[in-house]
Amino acid sequence: MGRRSDHSREELCELALDAARRIVDEDGLSALTARKVAGAMGYAPGTLYNLFGNLDDLIVHLNARTLDDLCHRLSLNPGAGSPEEVLSRMLNAYLEFLTDHSSLWHLLFEHKLPDDKELPDWYARKVDKVLGLVENALSPLFAEDRQNQKRDAACVLWASLHGICSLYQTGKLSVVTSTSVREMTETLLANFIAGLRLSQGADGFVHT
Amino acid sequence: MGRRSDHSREELCELALDAARRIVDEDGLSALTARKVAGAMGYAPGTLYNLFGNLDDLIVHLNARTLDDLCHRLSLNPGAGSPEEVLSRMLNAYLEFLTDHSSLWHLLFEHKLPDDKELPDWYARKVDKVLGLVENALSPLFAEDRQNQKRDAACVLWASLHGICSLYQTGKLSVVTSTSVREMTETLLANFIAGLRLSQGADGFVHT
DNA sequence: CTTGAAATTGAACGGCGGTCAATATAAATT
DNA sequence: AATTTATATTGACCGCCGTTCAATTTCAAG
């Protein structure tokens, strides 16, 4: 077999990523194999390695798409309101995605590159974008001269929510409590923000 | 080859789990293979399947040991003090374990049984024990008639800390912030507990 | 000494990620 | 139009993996 030119290189990448997404969504992480992806797009396994360096590389690109998707969903329902209200709406969208595409979500976070490789810059920028949404929601809590603390707070909140979702999704929470993810994340949100309000000072005059 | 009787069945299990622990600790998760474990204990691969149903089963037992170890370390430095102080000490021990045995820690949380199988009861009890430590530390914050809320709070806190550690450990935090795990977990701890104090009422008279 | 039960082996199976010489096609050159 | 060059595609191959199981060897009981 030789050159086919049924598809451009970009079309092939899209084909591969579409196939990969479908496979993960339908049959779970363990079903994502090079042979299966290649088969689903009607090509031989070797072709996949012309498009991506290896499976890890393909997964990073798939995760980038998932990140875009997630970011888009979180951006809907913008609306105004207190940080609690805004974040609660975002949480809705997040949990909905987690429920509907648990394997894609799982892949997004569970996947780890080998120690000697780092995530590319364009990927970091996508993560930044999501984090920016959280940051904006938290903005009213921080005085003008403390905006730099926003980012840390956003990171902490985001990572914490992730922890709850992660343990839930791997079945490690149900072993220990019957409380729903919904309730737990709301508990975190409420208490963490209450704490922030305090430490940032309701009117800027409490604590240092 | 036939019956050797160099070791009792229990000794063999210990041999296997010791080997597995060493392999994970030294060479990471991906190095944990049946052949390697068997080789390290001086037996053929098949023997491993007389002791454990499969690799998943062995991993659950290894994780149980890790859980015991973790629980033990968290129980040292008991001491008195405010919930913040007690939990901060526990956090020290936790982060120390995370640093020294990152792969064992990773295996403990990342491993997921197939959907049709559940973690055994004796395993759930071990998780419970760790959670109990957090619960005790939070105890002073809850009035006598609200002790049942303790558990939820402990779960949320534990899961949240896990999220920060998890993202850190998979290199997904460094992409987005240069703040240390240490600082982030302290931020969570401080704000969450501050929030709890408020919602539980400093003297039981604020909010419902 | 025989017999039966249990432990141990290691080859075998199907599948995996990844590689690469061979090949077939498209584009460039003559 | 014929020839060359460049490139896309293949699929057999490598060394692994988890897991199985018939065959074998040893121990213990009768």
Side-chain angles (χ1 to χ4, degrees), chain A residues 108-112 124 127 131 151-152 155 159-160 162-163 167 169 172 175-176 179 184 191 195-196 198-199, chain B residues 108-112 124 127 131 151-152 155 159-160 162-163 169 172 175-176 179 184 191 195-196 198-199:
Chain A
L108 180 58
F109 289 105
E110 183 247 29
H111 181 254
K112 191 191 179 187
V127 180
L131 212 60
R151 164 152 288 250
D152 281 351
C155 283
S160 299
H162 164 73
L167 291 180
Q169 211 252 351
K172 275 166 174 128
V175 167
V176 125
T179 311
M184 293 183 66
N191 285 299
L196 272 185
L198 225 100
S199 65
Chain B
L108 180 59
F109 288 105
E110 184 247 31
H111 181 253
K112 190 189 179 187
V127 181
L131 213 60
R151 163 152 289 252
D152 280 352
C155 283
S160 300
H162 164 73
Q169 212 253 350
K172 273 163 175 131
V175 167
V176 125
T179 311
M184 293 185 66
N191 285 298
L196 273 185
L198 225 99
S199 66

Side-chain angles (χ1 to χ4, degrees), chain B:
Chain B
M1 276 291 174
R3 182 177 296 193
R4 274 208 216 155
S5 77
D6 299 348
H7 309 281
S8 72
R9 171 164 270 261
E10 279 178 10
E11 284 170 334
L12 283 176
C13 282
E14 296 238 329
L15 231 56
L17 291 173
D18 283 346
R21 164 179 259 153
R22 206 167 35 73
I23 289 169
V24 172
D25 224 12
E26 290 176 4
D27 301 322
L29 299 199
S30 58
L32 184 64
T33 72
R35 285 171 173 81
K36 228 170 194 161
V37 173
M41 56 190 289
Y43 280 78
T47 299
L48 219 51
Y49 290 83
N50 286 354
L51 306 171
F52 303 95
N54 49 41
L55 255 204
D56 268 352
D57 189 22
L58 183 148
I59 290 175
V60 169
H61 282 82
L62 175 54
N63 281 344
R65 286 191 164 199
T66 305
L67 219 42
D68 283 339
D69 190 8
L70 197 55
C71 193
H72 175 249
R73 287 162 189 253
L74 293 179
S75 302
L76 306 176
N77 309 93
S82 65
E84 285 90 340
E85 289 167 343
V86 176
L87 285 170
S88 187
R89 275 199 298 272
M90 284 177 56
L91 192 54
N92 276 338
Y94 191 83
L95 292 179
E96 197 177 313
F97 186 86
L98 174 59
T99 304
D100 293 348
H101 305 284
S102 62
S103 292
L104 284 174
W105 184 89
H106 194 203
L107 186 62
L108 180 59
F109 288 105
E110 184 247 31
H111 181 253
K112 190 189 179 187
L113 287 175
D115 288 330
D116 52 344
K117 296 199 176 173
E118 290 214 358
L119 286 168
D121 276 358
W122 54 263
Y123 189 94
R125 253 176 275 129
K126 286 180 192 293
V127 181
D128 241 53
K129 208 173 154 196
V130 176
L131 213 60
L133 297 175
V134 182
E135 241 179 293
N136 280 341
L138 289 177
S139 200
L141 298 175
F142 293 85
E144 297 246 341
D145 56 330
R146 297 238 188 82
Q147 292 288 308
N148 53 328
Q149 294 181 21
K150 251 190 341 191
R151 163 152 289 252
D152 280 352
C155 283
V156 170
L157 180 55
W158 169 63
S160 300
L161 289 172
H162 164 73
I164 297 175
C165 295
S166 166
L167 291 181
Y168 160 71
Q169 212 253 350
T170 54
K172 273 163 175 131
L173 270 186
S174 60
V175 167
V176 125
T177 179
S178 58
T179 311
S180 68
V181 202
R182 195 52 216 256
E183 285 176 276
M184 293 185 66
T185 48
E186 290 285 1
T187 299
L188 171 66
L189 208 58
N191 285 298
F192 183 72
I193 294 189
L196 273 185
R197 278 194 198 286
L198 225 99
S199 66
Q200 292 298 316
D203 299 294
F205 66 92
V206 183
H207 291 293
T208 48

Side-chain angles (χ1 to χ4, degrees), chain A residues 52-93:
Chain A
F52 302 96
N54 50 40
L55 255 204
D56 268 352
D57 188 23
L58 184 148
I59 290 176
V60 169
H61 282 83
L62 174 55
N63 281 345
R65 287 192 164 198
T66 305
L67 219 42
D68 284 339
D69 191 9
L70 196 56
C71 194
H72 175 250
R73 288 163 190 253
L74 292 180
S75 302
L76 306 176
N77 309 95
S82 66
E84 285 90 339
E85 288 167 344
V86 175
L87 285 170
S88 186
R89 274 200 299 271
M90 284 177 56
L91 192 55
N92 276 339

